[in-house]
Amino acid sequence: MFSFTSDQKLETPITHIYQEPFSFRYGYARAGETQEANDLGQDYLVFRVENKKFTFVLCDGVSLSFCGNIAAQFLATKLIEWLCGIPKEEIQQKNDMTAALDRYLEQLINEATEVVEKHELPRPLSPLLRDVLEEKRRNGSETMFVCGRVDILEEWSNQAHVFLAWSGDLRIRLWDGWTEITHCSGSSVNTQQRWSTKNGLIHGGVNVMTSREVNRPLDRLTLYSDGFFVLDSLDVLPSTDRLQEMMCQSFSSPTSDDISFLDVAW
């Protein structure tokens, strides 16, 4: 088994790994200002490779909510465990999975609310800033997310079933070899959708998609947070070295934001 969990206080350079039957690249970096302040990143990326399946969750905490990094870490940790435990036969049933995920996200609210209520604020805070944060605490911590699983169905051909679920503006790109099939980014995503520790799903239910809805072979998927928006306009993703250069270049931008990146092929 191979697993990765991002550290919200450390950068992970773009890394390329092959573990039969998956080849994958991933990376994590905080925004330039966040690194300078030695603060926590708002993104959270976790994935596991085991038993011919690749399970992943990427969360992007909402900075205007109360400590969005809390919701991001909490939800990603919960979803990865939930997705890993679902039998292969069940995850292929889209309607059942959609209903089950909706229920699970609702069930998490009480526990998540308790985590937010117990979170201690740093001591050296001005009274005004503390009051603002306490007001945000009452409204909860929020995060956008994308999660899913790739299950290899036929080893001889690497035919796979892909399950995807998301809420928010995280980028999702699906490929048939070098040909892009789906590109969910920019104006094609809902920037108002997210999951809240207080209210659950906001501005609509969770979006769900499976490989059965794609009318051509699917052998690769790419996910990244909006901090890596420079990739949106590229028809072909750069090499690993070039991706690393682009990630480092983003740190000096006035609009620098956290970056999480995952690219999986099979």
Side-chain angles (χ1 to χ4, degrees), residues 117-177:
E117 289 175 349
K118 290 182 177 179
H119 181 73
E120 295 185 7
L121 294 174
R123 291 187 179 277
L125 288 179
S126 68
L128 178 60
L129 180 54
R130 185 172 292 274
D131 288 344
V132 170
L133 289 173
E134 288 298 346
E135 178 62 30
K136 287 186 175 183
R137 189 200 299 268
R138 285 189 280 274
N139 294 320
S141 182
E142 299 174 357
T143 185
M144 300 179 184
F145 71 90
V146 56
C147 66
R149 205 171 88 186
V150 180
D151 286 87
I152 300 299
L153 303 178
E154 295 180 354
E155 294 188 27
W156 63 272
S157 65
N158 274 0
Q159 179 183 350
H161 176 269
V162 179
F163 171 83
L164 279 169
W166 70 93
S167 179
D169 67 355
L170 290 158
R171 279 43 171 173
I172 304 168
R173 303 176 68 170
L174 307 179
W175 312 77
D176 171 10

